[in-house]
Amino acid sequence: LQAFNMCCHDIGQPGYLVDFYQAAVARKPDNEDYNAHLFMSHVRTRQYKQQQQVASNMYRVFKQPPYYTWAVMSILCQAREAAAAGNVAAGTMLLPLADRMLQKAKTDGHLGREGLRLHMLVLREMKKFDTILELLRLDSEAE
């Protein structure tokens, strides 16, 4: 797998990895490594919606909080891509979704330092600067 990964990178064809890992996950859906490689192949090809789907599935199956964060980061990437393309409506739907997901993760106790940073990025995109300050205040009080 590592050799194929490097070969695809060297020839500038990361899309081959998507197909390869989709087939691998189809054969062994409970293989965490294959799922993680599939997610990363979507990262390399900037397929944000597919990233979100894979990460959400990984969180559901493997119950690891970082996969939840991956899904939210994928939503943030979708929102940024939509904004860059002039699709303001998509951003106004996606950013509040990411915010709600991160609030839920915090309530459930799954929001670590990286999740807090991600939440601040989402809030910054939403221009909710007062909320960022409140998050920082609450976090400093919790320590």
Side-chain angles (χ1 to χ4, degrees):
L1 293 178
Q2 193 73 14
F4 184 70
N5 206 340
M6 290 184 341
C7 180
C8 290
H9 176 57
D10 288 346
I11 64 170
Q13 294 296 328
Y16 292 160
L17 289 171
V18 172
D19 297 336
F20 179 78
Y21 284 114
Q22 281 176 332
V25 168
R27 294 187 80 182
K28 294 187 177 184
D30 293 337
N31 186 306
E32 193 169 358
D33 286 336
Y34 289 170
N35 277 278
H37 283 293
L38 176 58
F39 175 84
M40 291 302 169
S41 68
H42 286 305
V43 170
R44 286 184 194 97
T45 56
R46 296 183 178 160
Q47 296 175 328
Y48 304 125
K49 180 67 177 170
Q50 291 83 353
Q51 280 176 221
Q52 178 193 352
Q53 292 169 345
V54 172
S56 296
N57 183 58
M58 289 179 72
Y59 179 72
R60 191 178 69 255
V61 172
F62 304 114
K63 308 290 187 224
Q64 297 295 321
Y67 301 144
Y68 192 84
T69 307
W70 288 6
V72 176
M73 186 65 201
S74 300
I75 293 169
L76 177 59
C77 290
Q78 289 175 65
R80 286 179 171 175
E81 182 180 59
N87 185 352
V88 178
T92 59
M93 290 174 20
L94 293 167
L95 291 172
L97 171 62
D99 182 32
R100 284 191 308 275
M101 289 176 70
L102 289 164
Q103 288 174 17
K104 182 183 182 321
K106 183 176 183 188
T107 301
D108 294 345
H110 299 299
L111 192 68
R113 285 279 180 226
E114 294 303 317
L116 179 64
R117 288 188 191 111
L118 178 56
H119 201 178
M120 288 189 290
L121 284 173
V122 169
L123 293 169
R124 185 180 72 186
E125 293 286 328
M126 297 173 74
K127 300 185 180 359
K128 291 188 172 185
F129 304 111
D130 291 339
T131 308
I132 293 171
L133 291 173
E134 181 66 14
L135 267 179
L136 290 171
R137 186 185 64 76
L138 292 171
D139 185 60
S140 67
E141 288 176 0
E143 290 180 354

